[in-house]
Amino acid sequence: MMRVAYFDCFSGISGDMCLGALIDAGVDFERLAGELKKLPVEGYRLRLEKVKQGGISAINFFVELDDQDQPERHLMDIEEIIDRSSLPEEVKEKSKRVFHCLARAEARVHDTTPEHIHFHEVGAVDAIIDVVGTVLGLHLLGVEKVIVSPLPVGRGFIQCMHGLIPSPAPATLEILSEKKVPVYGAGVEGELVTPTGAALAATLGDAFGEVPPITVTRVGYGAGKKNFEHPNLLRVIIGEIL
């Protein structure tokens, strides 16, 4: 039997939604937090909040920073942070692949090289925790294969450090096009798939499409931070392929 995780992204995907869903699906929060302390970064606290959206119970995952002004990190800086940890090698390698995916996309958008990209939002401690924590969570659940649903994309504009940019964010589309991830327009104003969420889906996803024939063993819901008319949740289905 093979243990699989199906990411049902009916309202998109972000790093904190991934972590909330994986914890709701059975990842032990205290163990996860303890393992993440192996990363040589400080000045943050992890917090969970039980919420309900559309009557569905979910986990809202928070990385609370002591200092909101995070240093601008290059890809090399983030790799060094990951390499200096004593996390399992598989977790370190997959986490670095996610950041390489992000760096390549940002480099294409800004017409430079991945090595010269200054990570802003995705170089902050909370983004590092989101990425490494998601990879670690799948590892702790013993997941051997990840399947991702087609991703809904929003429209309109997004406020970021560069000002107003179109939704989906240019880096998000670059990631999804590189990995040929299927998308569809959701008719929603705003951002449904963040660059970090796109990189996690594109890098960790072994396949994209509908739920395969599996025996479902666990289900978890992770809450997004934005309010929409629909439940802003990510559903992760854990199961076994016979």
Side-chain angles (χ1 to χ4, degrees):
M1 291 192 296
M2 175 184 289
R3 177 164 293 182
V4 301
Y6 183 79
F7 281 65
D8 186 9
C9 309
F10 55 81
S11 185
I13 183 170
S14 66
D16 54 348
M17 292 169 80
C18 288
L19 272 167
L22 289 171
I23 291 166
D24 199 40
V27 172
D28 183 85
F29 173 64
E30 296 300 330
R31 184 178 178 191
L32 180 81
E35 289 291 308
L36 288 172
K37 286 180 181 176
K38 295 176 180 178
L39 290 166
V41 291
E42 298 177 344
Y44 74 90
R45 293 173 305 282
L46 304 183
R47 180 169 65 86
L48 301 182
E49 182 179 285
K50 272 277 191 179
V51 297
K52 283 188 179 179
Q53 293 196 24
I56 302 169
S57 175
I59 294 288
N60 203 354
F61 181 88
F62 296 88
V63 182
E64 298 177 332
L65 303 177
D66 294 340
D67 185 359
Q68 295 300 319
D69 291 327
Q70 293 287 300
E72 291 184 359
R73 293 183 172 96
H74 289 85
L75 180 61
M76 183 176 66
D77 301 320
I78 295 173
E79 285 189 304
E80 183 180 358
I81 288 170
I82 295 170
D83 282 334
R84 284 173 55 199
S85 76
S86 58
L87 289 165
E89 285 301 318
E90 177 192 8
V91 172
K92 292 197 281 190
E93 288 306 311
K94 286 184 177 180
S95 299
K96 288 190 291 184
R97 280 170 46 204
V98 175
F99 280 106
H100 273 265
C101 177
L102 279 162
R104 288 194 303 271
E106 292 283 359
R108 287 193 294 270
V109 170
H110 299 297
D111 192 24
T112 184
T113 62
E115 294 76 22
H116 285 90
I117 284 295
H118 282 88
F119 283 120
H120 299 284
E121 288 96 334
V122 296
V125 169
D126 50 343
I128 295 171
I129 293 296
D130 284 348
V131 169
V132 179
T134 296
V135 176
L136 178 61
L138 290 166
H139 176 80
L140 292 175
L141 286 176
V143 170
E144 301 164 85
K145 183 177 183 179
V146 174
I147 304 167
V148 182
S149 72
L151 299 182
V153 291
R155 63 190 182 196
F157 292 91
I158 305 163
Q159 183 69 48
C160 75
M161 291 191 71
H162 298 290
L164 281 177
I165 59 173
S167 178
T172 296
L173 278 183
E174 289 290 341
I175 292 165
L176 300 178
S177 65
E178 178 186 82
K179 299 292 186 176
K180 296 181 172 53
V181 179
V183 303
Y184 62 95
V188 174
E189 293 286 332
E191 185 178 38
L192 297 178
V193 178
T194 66
T196 301
L200 285 165
T203 305
L204 303 180
D206 298 294
F208 303 91
E210 299 303 316
V211 185
I214 60 173
T215 301
V216 177
T217 56
R218 297 175 178 178
V219 181
Y221 292 86
K225 302 294 188 289
K226 299 184 182 75
N227 294 317
F228 297 114
E229 292 184 2
H230 63 270
N232 186 21
L233 304 171
L234 169 68
R235 176 163 53 193
V236 171
I237 302 168
I238 308 296
E240 308 279 353
I241 293 180
L242 303 178

